[in-house]
Amino acid sequence: MSLAIDLPAKNGKADTLGWSYWSGWKTLAKWGGLLLIALIYFPLGWLALMSVSEQPLSGIPFPLSLEHYAALFEDTRWLQPFGASIVIATLVGLVCATTATLVGRALPHARRPGPILLTLVLPLFVPGMSMGAALFIFLRSFLGLKLGFWSIFLGHLVWAFPFALLIILVLTTRFDYRLVEAAADLGASRWRTFWDIEFPLLLPGIVGAGLFGFLLSFNEVLRTIFLRGTETTMPVWNWIMAASQQSQVPIIFALATIVLLVTLPLLAGAFWLLFVRLDKN
Protein backbone atom coordinates (compact mmCIF):
# COMPACT_ATOMS: atom_id res chain seq x y z
CA MET A 1 0.00 0.00 0.00
CA SER A 2 1.40 3.42 -0.86
CA LEU A 3 0.70 6.98 0.09
CA ALA A 4 1.37 9.87 -2.27
CA ILE A 5 1.87 13.44 -1.10
CA ASP A 6 1.77 16.33 -3.56
CA LEU A 7 4.43 18.94 -2.92
CA PRO A 8 4.31 22.55 -4.14
CA ALA A 9 4.81 22.87 -7.87
CA LYS A 10 8.26 23.70 -9.16
CA ASN A 11 8.68 25.01 -12.72
CA GLY A 12 5.02 24.25 -13.40
CA LYS A 13 5.28 20.60 -12.31
CA ALA A 14 4.15 19.11 -9.01
CA ASP A 15 6.59 16.84 -7.21
CA THR A 16 5.17 13.69 -5.71
CA LEU A 17 6.70 12.06 -2.65
CA GLY A 18 5.77 8.42 -2.50
CA TRP A 19 6.49 6.06 0.34
CA SER A 20 5.24 2.67 1.37
CA TYR A 21 4.40 1.07 4.65
CA TRP A 22 3.20 -2.31 5.85
CA SER A 23 -0.44 -2.85 4.98
CA GLY A 24 -1.06 -4.57 8.31
CA TRP A 25 -0.52 -1.41 10.39
CA LYS A 26 -4.17 -0.41 10.06
CA THR A 27 -5.42 -3.77 11.30
CA LEU A 28 -2.84 -3.86 14.09
CA ALA A 29 -3.80 -0.36 15.23
CA LYS A 30 -7.49 -1.26 15.17
CA TRP A 31 -7.18 -4.39 17.30
CA GLY A 32 -4.55 -2.82 19.55
CA GLY A 33 -6.88 0.10 20.24
CA LEU A 34 -9.80 -2.22 20.91
CA LEU A 35 -7.65 -4.28 23.29
CA LEU A 36 -6.62 -1.20 25.25
CA ILE A 37 -10.22 0.03 25.43
CA ALA A 38 -11.28 -3.38 26.73
CA LEU A 39 -8.50 -3.36 29.35
CA ILE A 40 -9.63 0.06 30.53
CA TYR A 41 -13.41 -0.26 30.54
CA PHE A 42 -14.15 -3.95 31.02
CA PRO A 43 -12.76 -3.99 34.61
CA LEU A 44 -14.85 -0.91 35.40
CA GLY A 45 -17.98 -2.52 34.03
CA TRP A 46 -17.19 -5.75 35.88
CA LEU A 47 -16.73 -3.78 39.11
CA ALA A 48 -20.18 -2.23 38.68
CA LEU A 49 -21.67 -5.67 38.02
CA MET A 50 -19.95 -7.22 41.06
CA SER A 51 -21.23 -4.39 43.24
CA VAL A 52 -24.78 -5.69 42.75
CA SER A 53 -23.82 -9.34 43.08
CA GLU A 54 -24.89 -11.27 46.15
CA GLN A 55 -21.44 -12.86 46.42
CA PRO A 56 -19.00 -10.51 44.64
CA LEU A 57 -15.83 -12.16 45.95
CA SER A 58 -16.79 -15.39 44.21
CA GLY A 59 -16.55 -13.71 40.82
CA ILE A 60 -20.05 -14.88 39.91
CA PRO A 61 -22.44 -11.98 39.21
CA PHE A 62 -25.68 -13.84 39.87
CA PRO A 63 -27.87 -13.72 41.85
CA LEU A 64 -28.11 -9.94 41.93
CA SER A 65 -28.67 -8.01 45.13
CA LEU A 66 -28.55 -4.42 46.44
CA GLU A 67 -27.67 -5.46 49.99
CA HIS A 68 -24.14 -4.06 49.72
CA TYR A 69 -25.46 -0.62 48.76
CA ALA A 70 -27.86 -0.80 51.71
CA ALA A 71 -24.97 -1.71 54.01
CA LEU A 72 -22.92 1.16 52.57
CA PHE A 73 -25.54 3.79 53.40
CA GLU A 74 -26.10 2.29 56.84
CA ASP A 75 -22.37 2.58 57.59
CA THR A 76 -21.60 6.31 57.70
CA ARG A 77 -17.89 5.96 58.51
CA TRP A 78 -16.95 6.62 54.89
CA LEU A 79 -18.67 10.02 54.77
CA GLN A 80 -15.95 11.90 56.64
CA PRO A 81 -13.05 10.52 54.50
CA PHE A 82 -15.08 11.11 51.36
CA GLY A 83 -15.80 14.72 52.33
CA ALA A 84 -12.15 15.31 53.25
CA SER A 85 -11.01 13.96 49.89
CA ILE A 86 -13.48 16.16 48.01
CA VAL A 87 -12.40 19.31 49.85
CA ILE A 88 -8.67 18.63 49.53
CA ALA A 89 -8.95 17.64 45.86
CA THR A 90 -11.01 20.75 45.07
CA LEU A 91 -8.42 23.01 46.71
CA VAL A 92 -5.58 21.24 44.93
CA GLY A 93 -7.37 21.57 41.60
CA LEU A 94 -8.02 25.29 42.07
CA VAL A 95 -4.48 26.05 43.22
CA CYS A 96 -2.97 23.95 40.44
CA ALA A 97 -5.05 25.66 37.76
CA THR A 98 -4.21 29.15 39.07
CA THR A 99 -0.52 28.60 39.80
CA ALA A 100 0.15 26.62 36.64
CA THR A 101 -1.47 29.37 34.55
CA LEU A 102 0.72 32.05 36.12
CA VAL A 103 3.92 30.02 35.81
CA GLY A 104 3.01 28.65 32.38
CA ARG A 105 2.50 32.15 30.97
CA ALA A 106 5.82 33.41 32.34
CA LEU A 107 8.03 30.40 31.66
CA PRO A 108 8.23 30.71 27.83
CA HIS A 109 9.58 34.25 28.30
CA ALA A 110 12.29 33.23 30.78
CA ARG A 111 15.93 33.60 29.75
CA ARG A 112 16.67 29.92 30.45
CA PRO A 113 13.35 28.07 30.67
CA GLY A 114 14.88 24.59 30.40
CA PRO A 115 16.47 24.32 33.87
CA ILE A 116 13.46 26.01 35.47
CA LEU A 117 11.06 23.55 33.83
CA LEU A 118 13.20 20.58 34.84
CA THR A 119 13.18 21.76 38.45
CA LEU A 120 9.41 22.22 38.46
CA VAL A 121 8.57 18.82 36.93
CA LEU A 122 11.18 16.85 38.90
CA PRO A 123 8.55 15.54 41.40
CA LEU A 124 7.11 13.49 38.53
CA PHE A 125 10.18 11.25 38.66
CA VAL A 126 10.43 10.93 42.45
CA PRO A 127 8.75 7.77 43.84
CA GLY A 128 5.67 8.54 45.91
CA MET A 129 7.06 6.77 48.97
CA SER A 130 10.30 8.78 48.84
CA MET A 131 8.47 12.08 48.35
CA GLY A 132 6.04 11.26 51.14
CA ALA A 133 8.84 10.45 53.56
CA ALA A 134 10.77 13.58 52.57
CA LEU A 135 7.71 15.81 53.03
CA PHE A 136 6.98 14.12 56.37
CA ILE A 137 10.45 14.98 57.67
CA PHE A 138 10.35 18.51 56.25
CA LEU A 139 6.86 19.44 57.44
CA ARG A 140 6.92 17.65 60.80
CA SER A 141 10.54 17.97 61.95
CA PHE A 142 11.80 21.07 60.14
CA LEU A 143 8.69 23.29 60.07
CA GLY A 144 6.92 21.77 63.08
CA LEU A 145 3.63 21.56 61.17
CA LYS A 146 0.97 19.33 62.69
CA LEU A 147 0.16 16.58 60.24
CA GLY A 148 -3.39 16.48 58.98
CA PHE A 149 -5.51 18.33 56.45
CA TRP A 150 -2.95 20.93 55.36
CA SER A 151 0.00 18.55 55.21
CA ILE A 152 -2.02 16.28 52.92
CA PHE A 153 -2.96 19.29 50.80
CA LEU A 154 0.70 20.34 50.42
CA GLY A 155 1.78 16.82 49.55
CA HIS A 156 -0.92 16.47 46.91
CA LEU A 157 -0.10 19.90 45.50
CA VAL A 158 3.56 18.97 45.04
CA TRP A 159 2.48 15.83 43.19
CA ALA A 160 -0.23 17.37 40.98
CA PHE A 161 1.36 20.71 40.05
CA PRO A 162 3.85 19.37 37.45
CA PHE A 163 1.03 17.68 35.54
CA ALA A 164 -1.00 20.89 35.57
CA LEU A 165 2.00 22.93 34.42
CA LEU A 166 2.70 20.63 31.47
CA ILE A 167 -0.92 20.93 30.34
CA ILE A 168 -0.74 24.72 30.40
CA LEU A 169 2.63 24.74 28.63
CA VAL A 170 1.15 22.80 25.72
CA LEU A 171 -0.96 25.89 24.98
CA THR A 172 1.38 28.71 26.04
CA THR A 173 4.31 27.41 23.98
CA ARG A 174 2.08 27.46 20.88
CA PHE A 175 0.38 30.72 21.72
CA ASP A 176 0.44 33.39 19.01
CA TYR A 177 1.76 36.39 20.94
CA ARG A 178 1.13 38.65 17.98
CA LEU A 179 -2.46 38.79 19.25
CA VAL A 180 -1.22 40.24 22.53
CA GLU A 181 0.99 42.74 20.73
CA ALA A 182 -1.92 43.81 18.54
CA ALA A 183 -4.10 44.36 21.58
CA ALA A 184 -1.38 46.46 23.20
CA ASP A 185 -1.04 48.54 20.04
CA LEU A 186 -4.79 49.20 20.19
CA GLY A 187 -4.45 50.54 23.72
CA ALA A 188 -5.81 47.58 25.70
CA SER A 189 -4.56 47.17 29.26
CA ARG A 190 -2.69 44.02 30.32
CA TRP A 191 -5.69 42.81 32.30
CA ARG A 192 -8.08 43.42 29.40
CA THR A 193 -5.67 41.68 27.01
CA PHE A 194 -5.46 38.64 29.27
CA TRP A 195 -9.20 38.46 29.90
CA ASP A 196 -10.33 39.00 26.29
CA ILE A 197 -7.57 37.20 24.36
CA GLU A 198 -5.39 34.90 26.45
CA PHE A 199 -7.96 33.52 28.86
CA PRO A 200 -10.40 32.17 26.23
CA LEU A 201 -7.54 30.47 24.38
CA LEU A 202 -6.04 29.04 27.57
CA LEU A 203 -9.38 28.02 29.10
CA PRO A 204 -9.25 24.35 27.99
CA GLY A 205 -5.78 24.01 29.48
CA ILE A 206 -6.77 25.77 32.69
CA VAL A 207 -9.78 23.51 33.22
CA GLY A 208 -7.72 20.47 32.24
CA ALA A 209 -5.06 21.42 34.78
CA GLY A 210 -7.71 21.79 37.47
CA LEU A 211 -9.29 18.44 36.61
CA PHE A 212 -5.94 16.67 36.67
CA GLY A 213 -5.13 18.25 40.02
CA PHE A 214 -8.49 17.17 41.42
CA LEU A 215 -8.24 13.59 40.17
CA LEU A 216 -4.61 13.09 41.21
CA SER A 217 -5.38 14.39 44.69
CA PHE A 218 -8.60 12.42 45.08
CA ASN A 219 -6.86 9.12 44.26
CA GLU A 220 -3.53 9.69 46.03
CA VAL A 221 -2.50 7.08 48.64
CA LEU A 222 1.28 6.82 49.09
CA ARG A 223 1.99 10.43 50.01
CA THR A 224 -1.19 10.60 52.09
CA ILE A 225 -0.10 7.70 54.29
CA PHE A 226 2.99 9.64 55.40
CA LEU A 227 1.27 13.02 55.75
CA ARG A 228 -2.21 12.26 57.06
CA GLY A 229 -1.57 12.25 60.81
CA THR A 230 -5.00 11.40 62.20
CA GLU A 231 -6.83 12.54 59.04
CA THR A 232 -8.26 9.90 56.69
CA THR A 233 -9.05 10.36 53.01
CA MET A 234 -11.21 8.18 50.82
CA PRO A 235 -8.41 6.15 49.17
CA VAL A 236 -6.75 5.53 52.54
CA TRP A 237 -10.07 4.47 54.07
CA ASN A 238 -10.64 2.04 51.20
CA TRP A 239 -7.15 0.64 51.62
CA ILE A 240 -7.60 0.18 55.36
CA MET A 241 -10.98 -1.50 54.97
CA ALA A 242 -9.76 -3.81 52.21
CA ALA A 243 -6.64 -4.77 54.15
CA SER A 244 -8.14 -5.30 57.59
CA GLN A 245 -11.67 -6.61 57.07
CA GLN A 246 -12.49 -8.81 54.12
CA SER A 247 -16.19 -8.44 54.85
CA GLN A 248 -15.92 -4.74 53.94
CA VAL A 249 -14.69 -5.40 50.40
CA PRO A 250 -18.21 -5.69 48.88
CA ILE A 251 -19.08 -2.33 50.44
CA ILE A 252 -15.96 -0.85 48.86
CA PHE A 253 -17.14 -2.20 45.48
CA ALA A 254 -20.43 -0.37 45.93
CA LEU A 255 -18.73 2.88 46.98
CA ALA A 256 -16.25 2.74 44.09
CA THR A 257 -19.12 2.22 41.64
CA ILE A 258 -20.99 5.25 42.98
CA VAL A 259 -17.85 7.38 42.60
CA LEU A 260 -17.47 6.20 38.99
CA LEU A 261 -21.12 6.88 38.15
CA VAL A 262 -20.77 10.44 39.45
CA THR A 263 -17.28 11.40 38.22
CA LEU A 264 -17.15 9.84 34.76
CA PRO A 265 -20.24 11.63 33.36
CA LEU A 266 -19.08 14.92 34.87
CA LEU A 267 -15.60 14.59 33.38
CA ALA A 268 -16.99 13.51 30.01
CA GLY A 269 -19.33 16.51 30.01
CA ALA A 270 -16.54 18.90 30.96
CA PHE A 271 -14.21 17.64 28.25
CA TRP A 272 -17.00 17.71 25.67
CA LEU A 273 -17.84 21.29 26.58
CA LEU A 274 -14.23 22.44 26.44
CA PHE A 275 -12.76 20.52 23.54
CA VAL A 276 -15.82 20.07 21.30
CA ARG A 277 -18.30 22.86 21.97
CA LEU A 278 -15.81 25.66 22.61
CA ASP A 279 -13.58 24.50 19.77
CA LYS A 280 -16.49 24.82 17.33
CA ASN A 281 -17.27 28.29 18.66
Side-chain angles (χ1 to χ4, degrees), residues 80-81 84-85 87-89 91-92 135-136 139 145-160 216-218 220-236:
Q80 190 277 331
S85 291
V87 174
I88 294 174
L91 290 176
V92 170
L135 289 171
F136 171 82
L139 297 176
L145 180 67
K146 182 180 178 181
L147 298 182
F149 183 92
W150 290 108
S151 60
I152 296 174
F153 165 76
L154 293 175
H156 290 187
L157 181 61
V158 171
W159 166 236
L216 289 172
S217 173
F218 188 80
E220 175 56 34
V221 176
L222 283 177
R223 295 161 185 81
T224 309
I225 292 176
F226 285 93
L227 302 172
R228 71 187 188 94
T230 58
E231 190 72 45
T232 303
T233 60
M234 191 77 260
V236 173

Side-chain angles (χ1 to χ4, degrees), residues 223-259:
R223 295 161 185 81
T224 309
I225 292 176
F226 285 93
L227 302 172
R228 71 187 188 94
T230 58
E231 190 72 45
T232 303
T233 60
M234 191 77 260
V236 173
W237 186 85
N238 285 337
W239 175 70
I240 293 175
M241 291 296 102
S244 62
Q245 300 181 26
Q246 190 177 13
S247 61
Q248 297 293 328
V249 173
I251 297 179
I252 296 175
F253 289 173
L255 180 58
T257 302
I258 292 176
V259 172

Side-chain angles (χ1 to χ4, degrees), residues 36 67 74 87 148 156 161 172 179 183-184 210 214-215 223 260 264 268 272:
L36 289 175
E67 61 178 320
E74 290 177 0
V87 174
H156 290 187
F161 174 76
T172 57
L179 299 173
F214 179 90
L215 293 175
R223 295 161 185 81
L260 285 175
L264 287 182
W272 176 84

Side-chain angles (χ1 to χ4, degrees), residues 103-109 168-169 171-184 193 197-198 201-202:
V103 177
R105 290 178 65 244
L107 191 60
H109 303 286
I168 295 295
L169 286 176
L171 294 178
T172 57
T173 53
R174 300 178 180 180
F175 189 83
D176 188 356
Y177 287 96
R178 291 176 299 180
L179 299 173
V180 177
E181 296 173 357
T193 300
I197 297 178
E198 291 188 67
L201 296 176
L202 297 179

